Amino acid sequence: MKNSISKILLITALVVSFNTQAQEDDDTTKSNIQTYTPSKLLDKGQWDVKFFNNLYTETKAKFDGVKFDKDRENYFTSTLDVFTGISDNNRLNIGLLLEYRSNTINGKSATSVFSFADDLSSRNGLSSLAPAIKWQPIEGVGNFSIQSAFHIPIINNESENNVFLDQTAYTFQNRFFYDYTLPSGNWQLFTELNTEYNFGDEASFANKTFVVAPGIFMSYFPSDKSTVLGFVQHSQRFGDFTQDYTALGFGGKYQLTQLLNLEILYSKFVRGNDTGLGQSFNIGLRALF
């Protein structure tokens, strides 16, 4: 699996390098930091490649109403999302989502996930893939879109040697995106509602559960090529297993070239039930061409 993700990264880097060389000298094209929010669909023939990395680490948890300290656990998720526009009216995109995970337990350091080991305290591997579509349901309202994906697990066991990797239940996911730019042009409100239905494996903790996860992001643009933002996210799981948490965070985005954007985010789980209470560190690269 280590070789697999290396190949994915190499292919992504080659695509980014080729297109950056072709476009970085074009100063006439408008910055896409404000234009291409998650709500915005691609034009026909346009491509969007996003490589996003999330490191979540926790030393506290709350279960059955009791908050307690615990040995550190670490969960690293690396996702590759690839979309392209296919419709003449620019209202339909298709894509593929891949997830690679590396997790460690028993008090290992947060950076231990980057060893990508398989032992009594570590586990890693390509865990799921998802065909997806993104569409604009209301003609003329380009700042509202829906992304639907069907996540297929490609692992046999959620946990081995008490190391959890990923769920083995299937997930049907719908994400609703909407953004609004204030009249000044320097502020932008972005909202997301993520819904998931998990099914298909009685052995999975997530089986027969439904997740509703809203998020609100407020961005300020000090320049055309940069933004700083703050956000709040909540997740509520219903069904055979219940769970909820709320996270607060901040971060920023910067357009490195006409092609490539950099995104850095931090969030902290400020409350929750039947969940860990940790923090996450995120970095992503997005190429639009």
Side-chain angles (χ1 to χ4, degrees), residues 71-135:
D71 290 338
R72 182 178 296 276
E73 296 182 7
N74 311 291
Y75 301 90
F76 175 70
T77 304
S78 185
T79 61
L80 181 65
D81 300 355
V82 181
F83 279 89
T84 186
I86 63 169
S87 63
D88 291 328
N89 60 9
N90 302 328
R91 293 179 61 189
L92 180 64
N93 298 169
I94 60 171
L96 180 66
L97 319 177
L98 300 173
E99 282 196 358
Y100 188 96
R101 295 177 181 251
S102 177
N103 303 337
T104 63
I105 62 171
N106 294 335
K108 285 193 171 186
S109 69
T111 57
S112 62
V113 295
F114 301 116
S115 65
F116 299 102
D118 278 306
D119 54 42
L120 294 178
S121 300
S122 310
R123 193 175 171 204
N124 79 100
L126 190 65
S127 62
S128 69
L129 59 86
I133 62 170
K134 193 171 182 179
W135 52 291

Side-chain angles (χ1 to χ4, degrees), residues 26 33 59 64 72 87 145 153 182 195 199 205 243 281:
D26 182 8
I33 286 287
T59 56
D64 299 322
R72 182 178 296 276
S87 63
S145 63
L182 275 66
T195 65
F199 64 98
F205 87 94
Q243 178 188 58
F281 304 86

Side-chain angles (χ1 to χ4, degrees), residues 1-166:
M1 289 302 180
K2 202 170 180 181
N3 290 333
S4 298
I5 195 169
S6 297
K7 292 177 181 178
I8 292 172
L9 290 173
L10 178 59
I11 292 171
T12 304
L14 289 174
V15 170
V16 168
S17 176
F18 175 81
N19 285 276
T20 299
Q21 186 176 11
Q23 298 185 30
E24 64 184 359
D25 293 329
D26 182 8
D27 295 325
T28 62
T29 304
K30 185 179 178 181
S31 165
N32 58 41
I33 286 287
Q34 289 174 283
T35 303
Y36 287 99
T37 67
S39 308
K40 175 73 173 177
L41 268 70
L42 304 171
D43 296 337
K44 185 176 182 180
Q46 191 175 19
W47 288 84
D48 183 354
V49 179
K50 185 173 183 180
F51 179 55
F52 193 77
N53 302 278
N54 168 277
L55 171 59
Y56 170 77
T57 181
E58 65 180 32
T59 56
K60 298 181 184 294
K62 185 178 180 181
F63 285 86
D64 299 322
V66 179
K67 186 177 179 180
F68 56 90
D69 295 329
K70 57 182 291 189
D71 290 338
R72 182 178 296 276
E73 296 182 7
N74 311 291
Y75 301 90
F76 175 70
T77 304
S78 185
T79 61
L80 181 65
D81 300 355
V82 181
F83 279 89
T84 186
I86 63 169
S87 63
D88 291 328
N89 60 9
N90 302 328
R91 293 179 61 189
L92 180 64
N93 298 169
I94 60 171
L96 180 66
L97 319 177
L98 300 173
E99 282 196 358
Y100 188 96
R101 295 177 181 251
S102 177
N103 303 337
T104 63
I105 62 171
N106 294 335
K108 285 193 171 186
S109 69
T111 57
S112 62
V113 295
F114 301 116
S115 65
F116 299 102
D118 278 306
D119 54 42
L120 294 178
S121 300
S122 310
R123 193 175 171 204
N124 79 100
L126 190 65
S127 62
S128 69
L129 59 86
I133 62 170
K134 193 171 182 179
W135 52 291
Q136 179 188 329
I138 305 174
E139 186 176 4
V141 184
N143 56 345
F144 173 62
S145 63
I146 302 172
Q147 179 177 308
S148 301
F150 182 59
H151 293 260
I152 304 168
I154 54 177
I155 57 173
N156 295 322
N157 301 308
E158 291 185 341
S159 297
E160 294 179 1
N161 298 318
N162 293 319
V163 184
F164 177 82
L165 186 63
D166 198 0

Side-chain angles (χ1 to χ4, degrees), residues 233-263:
Q233 294 176 302
H234 180 77
S235 178
Q236 193 88 30
R237 185 183 298 270
F238 306 90
D240 288 357
F241 174 68
T242 60
Q243 178 188 58
D244 68 89
Y245 62 82
T246 305
L248 301 177
F250 62 91
K253 298 179 183 180
Y254 185 77
Q255 182 159 320
L256 299 172
T257 71
Q258 204 62 51
L259 167 75
L260 192 63
N261 296 342
L262 172 69
E263 180 177 3

Side-chain angles (χ1 to χ4, degrees), residues 136-232:
Q136 179 188 329
I138 305 174
E139 186 176 4
V141 184
N143 56 345
F144 173 62
S145 63
I146 302 172
Q147 179 177 308
S148 301
F150 182 59
H151 293 260
I152 304 168
I154 54 177
I155 57 173
N156 295 322
N157 301 308
E158 291 185 341
S159 297
E160 294 179 1
N161 298 318
N162 293 319
V163 184
F164 177 82
L165 186 63
D166 198 0
Q167 69 181 57
T168 52
Y170 294 92
T171 301
F172 178 56
Q173 179 187 50
N174 288 286
R175 299 172 69 185
F176 301 83
F177 303 118
Y178 177 77
D179 68 75
Y180 174 73
T181 300
L182 275 66
S184 67
N186 293 329
W187 291 89
Q188 187 176 75
L189 176 67
F190 170 73
T191 60
E192 174 186 358
L193 177 62
N194 178 34
T195 65
E196 299 177 3
Y197 176 62
N198 304 280
F199 64 98
D201 185 2
E202 295 292 339
S204 173
F205 87 94
N207 196 56
K208 296 180 181 178
T209 64
F210 185 77
V211 174
V212 177
I216 300 176
F217 300 74
M218 179 60 76
S219 299
Y220 173 72
F221 298 89
S223 73
D224 188 45
K225 293 185 177 181
S226 63
T227 179
V228 291
L229 59 93
F231 60 91
V232 57

